């Protein structure tokens, strides 16, 4: 019987499957304490403020005490990536797949907006932590009655993850830009009117002639509408995929 491959270090860390001290007094710190303090610090001051020293200060401990549990800042960011999402709300009962995935996507949006620094974290691999896998499982569960193959379900969910994560990251970057320079957004139509030549950019000129960029709106309102519009377009494509393959 072949041995199972060793669990990757980052996965073992997120699942609490690293080396455990069996003897001696109970440690005054836990990985959960350290991760929670790091998340609180990032919420208060931004991701750039997170360091092992600052987290130790927040906990009233020495930096070396943290290193006994978490070996590096990279490991700490790995823990934050999973812990900040928390567990998903259960999908509503007796709803169709589209309602379920809409509920799921808006849940991800809400979870990330509670920790706006989350979108600055790099995505370096597929979901592997307990919370991220719980979200993955929830989305797959929404597709259980579609007749799709298991491979097809994974493809749909991975595509949805790509849309949701991309939209979140773009919208948070644009929100920061709006705070710094709101006129770049509120005067966008007027700015384009000065530079768009109908001969050179005919399709864009037609959009402008229709008044699409004339109305000044708050960025938050536009952001919500854009997220839902793109989400429904993606789900329209999923509906066509289900019809073709089921």
């Amino acid at each position: 019987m072949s041995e199972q491959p060793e669990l990757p270090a980052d996965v073992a860390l997120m699942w609490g499957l690293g080396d455990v001290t069996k003897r001696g007094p109970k440690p005054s710190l836990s990985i959960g304490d350290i991760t929670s303090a790091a998340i609180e610090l990032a919420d208060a001051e931004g991701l750039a403020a997170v360091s092992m020293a600052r987290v130790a200060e927040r906990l009233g401990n020495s930096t070396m005490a943290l290193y006994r549990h978490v070996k590096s800042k990279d490991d700490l960011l790995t823990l934050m990536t999973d812990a900040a999402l928390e567990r998903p709300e259960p999908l509503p009962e007796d709803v169709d797949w589209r309602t379920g995935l809409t509920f799921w996507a808006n849940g991800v949006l809400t979870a990330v907006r509670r920790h706006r620094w989350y979108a600055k974290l790099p995505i370096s691999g597929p979901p592997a932590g307990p919370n991220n896998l719980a979200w993955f499982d929830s989305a797959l569960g929404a597709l259980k009655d579609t007749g799709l193959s298991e491979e097809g379900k994974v493809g749909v969910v991975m595509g949805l993850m790509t849309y949701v994560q991309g939209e979140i990251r773009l919208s948070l970057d644009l929100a920061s830009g709006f705070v710094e320079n709101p006129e770049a957004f509120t005067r966008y139509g007027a700015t384009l009117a000065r530079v768009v030549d109908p001969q050179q950019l005919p399709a864009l000129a037609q959009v402008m002639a229709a008044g699409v960029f004339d109305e000044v709106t708050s960025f938050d309102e536009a952001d919500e509408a854009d997220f839902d519009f793109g989400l429904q377009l993606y789900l329209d494509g999923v509906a066509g995929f289900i019809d073709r393959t089921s």
Side-chain angles (χ1 to χ4, degrees):
M1 183 176 179
S2 61
E3 293 184 4
Q4 291 186 341
E6 185 176 350
L7 202 60
D10 58 340
V11 177
L13 181 66
M14 288 186 287
W15 283 89
L17 299 175
D19 294 334
V20 178
T21 301
K22 296 182 179 180
R23 296 182 179 180
K26 182 180 179 180
S28 60
L29 275 179
S30 70
I31 288 178
D33 295 332
I34 296 168
T35 305
S36 294
I39 289 172
E40 291 171 2
L41 180 60
D43 287 343
E45 301 182 34
L47 191 62
V50 176
S51 68
M52 299 294 278
R54 288 293 310 279
V55 174
E57 179 185 352
R58 195 175 187 90
L59 289 166
N61 281 267
S62 68
T63 304
M64 289 307 300
L66 265 65
Y67 280 114
R68 296 190 188 103
H69 301 271
V70 180
K71 294 180 180 179
S72 68
K73 181 179 176 180
D74 286 345
D75 283 352
L76 180 57
L77 293 177
T78 295
L79 290 165
M80 293 169 68
T81 299
D82 193 67
L85 276 184
E86 302 176 352
R87 292 297 176 105
E89 291 289 331
L91 295 178
E93 294 185 6
D94 300 323
V95 297
D96 61 17
W97 66 267
R98 185 171 190 134
T99 303
L101 288 184
T102 299
F103 178 87
W104 181 91
N106 282 296
V108 176
L109 183 64
T110 299
V112 173
R113 282 181 171 172
R114 282 197 291 264
H115 309 288
R116 300 179 78 86
W117 49 267
Y118 188 90
K120 301 297 182 182
L121 291 169
I123 299 175
S124 57
N131 289 343
N132 274 279
L133 287 182
W135 283 93
F136 193 14
D137 182 81
S138 178
L140 289 169
L143 297 166
K144 61 184 176 62
D145 295 326
T146 59
L148 290 175
S149 68
E150 300 309 310
E151 183 179 6
K153 293 174 189 174
V154 170
V156 168
V157 173
M158 294 304 290
L160 182 57
M161 285 182 179
T162 300
Y163 169 73
V164 172
Q165 287 284 352
E167 186 67 19
I168 288 171
R169 288 165 184 262
L170 177 62
S171 67
L172 290 178
D173 284 347
L174 290 174
S176 296
F178 185 83
V179 171
E180 294 175 5
N181 183 15
E183 285 195 355
F185 296 82
T186 58
R187 300 191 63 213
Y188 185 59
T191 299
L192 291 188
R194 299 283 301 274
V195 296
V196 171
D197 181 349
Q199 299 299 320
Q200 299 295 323
L201 304 169
L204 182 55
Q206 189 170 345
V207 168
M208 294 179 60
V212 174
F213 299 128
D214 289 351
E215 184 179 356
V216 176
T217 182
S218 71
F219 183 77
D220 286 343
E221 289 174 355
D223 180 41
E224 292 285 352
D226 287 347
F227 180 82
D228 189 63
F229 180 72
L231 175 61
Q232 297 310 318
L233 284 181
Y234 179 78
L235 296 180
D236 285 345
V238 173
F241 176 61
I242 292 172
D243 287 344
R244 292 194 306 273
T245 59
S246 299

